[in-house]
Every structure is written in structure tokens, then in C-alpha cells.
Amino acid sequence: MTIALGLLILSFLVFFHELGHFFAARLCGVKVEAFSIFMGPVLLHKEIGGVDYRLSLLPIGGYCQMKGENELAKALEEGLDSVPAEKDSLYGTHPLKRALIGFAGPLFNLIFVFAASSAIAMMGYTYYTRSATIQIPEDPTFPSPARDAGIKSGDTITKIAGKKISDFTDIYEQVSLRGDEDVEVEVLRKNQDGGEETLLFVVHTLLNKKEGNGILGVQASGESIEKEIKALPFFPALAKGAADTNKLLFQTVKSLGILFKGVDMSNAVTGPARISSMLGESAKEGFSAGAKIGLIVVLQFMSLISVSLFIMNLLPIPILDGSLILLALVEAATKKPVNPRLQKKIQMAGLAVIVLIFAVGLFGDIRYFINKAFEAKK
């Protein structure tokens, strides 16, 4: 049930992505032949304004079918030097408009993040955390870069890499993206006279190669504290939504860079089954705590996935929007269309990359569910 719920939520993000292509195509004068909610066999359809609107069987995203999308295959079959293109088709429009159509899908994913972040800012919420006063693990065999740098139990962390720290959640957020790096950590320490002094340490963090996060080697101390994020009026909430979108985008790009530091790819790269399961479980647990909390949890998780979709779809890999954008920009710069045979070679190379990523994600999903089943039996 949780997987089905997660799949529906994930499908909405894909549907919203396709909606971006739909509006951009109509704006650029490209004929949209069909627009479907979900995929697979068509259950219901109705033609309105020349567009066949469909409801399909499989609850997996959706699609925006534009005129001329399949003309590349036709050009290859007939050995043509360019893709046949009518004026109102995808390949018949100006290449910059084609690039805009390709970019509109990922852009809509980012617009969703902005809308969701703004909505959360308008709702406000509370969360539980610990203070920024830390404890160093007593076990000397427990790896602790903070201990090695001279940080002690009872120190209060005030800044990490120049970022202000207010609680232990901030500590985790800043360190998790800085694995295997030299990080400046500012602490407030009580001295023997009863006063306080500010000290600065340079800590070389560890990298958790299984999960991909940085490790400072500190623990939270003290009791749990409740912190309130107050609801904001409309315009301040929009400003907060824009700032949070920018922050999430930066964090996602940074986390992708960590993948190239020797992280276990099968665990770090998540496939659609695991994403659906995690999303469904988060929604179920969130709504069990109340409608408002459930909605915020789902919006936060959806924002995280939507930012990933934005970045992933801009990669210059065939099947993804980035390839369409890149080839359109090349055509605009050279003033001539890219040869279909060259496009075919690029597609085959890109397809190999997609298959590899899918295989890694699938293997990770299978291992995740097997481990989860064994844990449930214990």
C-alpha cells in the first residue's frame, strides 16, 4: 500500500514535468497531439482543441506527445541528412524554441519546489532536535575527527564552514555534505573562570562511503527541545520559498559531487521502487501525526525528488531533456541541423549510461527490500 501511495505521488511530479513541456510546446506553436495522465493502454480520452487528452492504465507519470517526435527514426530509416520537419512539428520549429520546450519540463520541477517551499513557509511548523552543545564519544576507538582536532565534550558549536549553527539539526545538515573535507568549526567553550571563549578548529571530516554523508564524530547532548518555525505572510513566504529552493538546489548538486568520492553507488543511487516505498512510508507516518504534519513531510520529500529530476533531466543524455536542449543549441549555433546518424550515435552512447544507472538503482532497490525483509523477521 505504501509503495502504491508513493508511486502516485511520484507520478504527480512526472505529470507536472510533462505539463511544462505541454505549455511550452503550445506557446512555441508546436502541435501537441496527445497529453496523458499515467501511461500504458488508454482508458479514457477526449479530444479538445486538437489535443487528445487521455487517462491511461499504469499509474506511472504521464506524457506529452508532440508532432514530429518520431521523425528522427524516419530520417534514419530513409538515410536522410536531416530530420523531416513540418512547420508546427518539434523539429520544424526554431531550435531555440525547441530548447525552450526541452527546458520547460525541468523548469516546472523547480517551480514545484518553489511553490511547495512557499506553502510550507506559510503553514509554519515545529520540530524536535537537540542543542548545539555536543558530546565527544567516550570510546577512544570510535572515530571522531572533532576529538582529533581538539574539540571537547561540553563545547557548543556556533559555526561550521562560516554557517551559523543554532541546534544539532544544523550541525548534521552542514557536515553531511562535507565528507572528507577540511572544515572550519567555531565553538564556544566555558573556561575555568566561569566565562566563555570562542575557539576555531579545522576538522578533516570522514566520509561514510555507504550512505555518502560526512562524519564529524560528535553526539547530541541534553534533552530534546521543540523549535517552532513561525508561519509567514504571503510575500515573505515567497521570498523564503525562493531561498529554500536555492538552498536545496545547492545541497543536491553538492551531494551528487560526493558520489565521485568512492561512495557505494548501489546504496547511494536510489531506484523508483525504493523512492516510492520511502515516499509512501513518509506520507503514512506524517499523516498519522496529523494532516498538517503529513502534508509538510510529503511536500518536503517531493521537493527533494523534484530538484533531483530538475538536475537529472538537464544532463546531456539521450532520452532526457538535456540531449534535446544540447542538440537544439548546437543547431542554433551552427545554423544547420545535426545529422541524424550523429544523433543516433549520441543516443546509443547515452542509452548505455541510462541502462547503467538504472541497473545500479535496481540492484540497490533489490538489496534494500531484501535487507528490510530480513530485519522485519528479527
Coordinates of all heavy atoms in Angstrom, one line a residue, residues 14 36-42 55-63:
V14 N 6.1 13.6 -12.2 CA 6.4 13.4 -13.6 C 5.3 14.1 -14.4 O 5.6 14.7 -15.5 CB 6.4 11.9 -13.9 CG1 6.7 11.6 -15.4 CG2 7.5 11.2 -13.1
S36 N -1.3 12.8 -21.8 CA -1.9 11.7 -20.9 C -1.5 11.8 -19.5 O -0.3 12.0 -19.1 CB -1.4 10.3 -21.5 OG -1.9 9.3 -20.7
I37 N -2.5 11.5 -18.6 CA -2.2 11.3 -17.2 C -2.0 9.8 -17.1 O -2.8 9.0 -17.5 CB -3.4 11.7 -16.3 CG1 -3.6 13.2 -16.5 CG2 -3.1 11.4 -14.9 CD1 -4.8 13.8 -15.7
F38 N -0.8 9.4 -16.6 CA -0.4 8.0 -16.5 C 0.0 7.5 -17.9 O -0.1 8.2 -18.9 CB -1.5 7.1 -15.9 CG -1.9 7.4 -14.5 CD1 -3.1 7.1 -14.0 CD2 -1.0 8.1 -13.6 CE1 -3.5 7.5 -12.7 CE2 -1.4 8.5 -12.3 CZ -2.6 8.2 -11.9
M39 N 0.4 6.2 -17.9 CA 1.0 5.7 -19.2 C 0.3 4.3 -19.5 O -0.5 3.8 -18.7 CB 2.5 5.5 -19.1 CG 3.2 6.8 -18.8 SD 5.0 6.7 -18.8 CE 5.3 6.6 -20.6
G40 N 0.7 3.7 -20.6 CA 0.1 2.4 -21.0 C -1.1 2.5 -21.8 O -1.4 3.6 -22.4
P41 N -1.9 1.4 -21.8 CA -3.2 1.4 -22.5 C -4.1 2.6 -22.1 O -4.2 2.9 -20.9 CB -3.8 0.1 -22.2 CG -2.7 -0.8 -21.7 CD -1.7 0.2 -21.1
V42 N -4.8 3.2 -23.0 CA -5.6 4.3 -22.8 C -7.0 3.8 -22.3 O -7.7 3.0 -22.9 CB -5.8 5.2 -24.0 CG1 -6.8 6.4 -23.8 CG2 -4.5 5.7 -24.5
L55 N -6.5 9.4 -20.1 CA -6.3 8.8 -18.9 C -5.9 7.4 -19.1 O -6.7 6.6 -19.7 CB -7.5 8.8 -18.0 CG -7.4 8.1 -16.6 CD1 -6.3 8.8 -15.7 CD2 -8.7 8.1 -15.9
S56 N -4.6 7.0 -18.8 CA -4.1 5.7 -19.1 C -4.1 4.8 -17.9 O -4.4 5.2 -16.8 CB -2.7 5.8 -19.7 OG -2.8 6.6 -20.9
L57 N -3.8 3.5 -18.2 CA -3.9 2.5 -17.1 C -2.8 2.5 -16.1 O -3.1 2.4 -14.9 CB -3.9 1.1 -17.8 CG -4.0 -0.1 -16.9 CD1 -5.4 -0.1 -16.2 CD2 -3.9 -1.4 -17.8
L58 N -1.6 2.6 -16.4 CA -0.5 2.4 -15.5 C -0.2 3.7 -14.8 O 0.2 4.7 -15.4 CB 0.8 1.9 -16.2 CG 0.6 0.6 -17.0 CD1 1.9 0.3 -17.7 CD2 0.2 -0.5 -16.1
P59 N -0.3 3.7 -13.4 CA -0.1 5.0 -12.6 C 1.4 5.3 -12.5 O 2.0 5.3 -11.5 CB -0.7 4.6 -11.3 CG -0.4 3.1 -11.2 CD -0.6 2.6 -12.6
I60 N 2.0 5.6 -13.7 CA 3.4 6.0 -13.7 C 3.6 7.3 -14.6 O 3.7 7.2 -15.8 CB 4.3 4.9 -14.4 CG1 4.0 3.5 -13.7 CG2 5.8 5.2 -14.3 CD1 4.7 2.3 -14.4
G61 N 3.5 8.4 -13.9 CA 3.7 9.7 -14.6 C 2.7 10.0 -15.6 O 1.5 10.0 -15.4
G62 N 3.2 10.3 -16.8 CA 2.4 10.7 -18.0 C 3.2 11.1 -19.1 O 4.5 10.9 -19.1
Y63 N 2.7 11.6 -20.2 CA 3.5 12.0 -21.3 C 2.8 13.1 -22.1 O 1.6 13.3 -22.1 CB 3.8 10.8 -22.2 CG 2.6 10.1 -22.8 CD1 2.0 10.5 -24.0 CD2 2.1 9.0 -22.2 CE1 0.9 9.9 -24.5 CE2 1.0 8.3 -22.7 CZ 0.4 8.7 -23.9 OH -0.6 8.1 -24.4

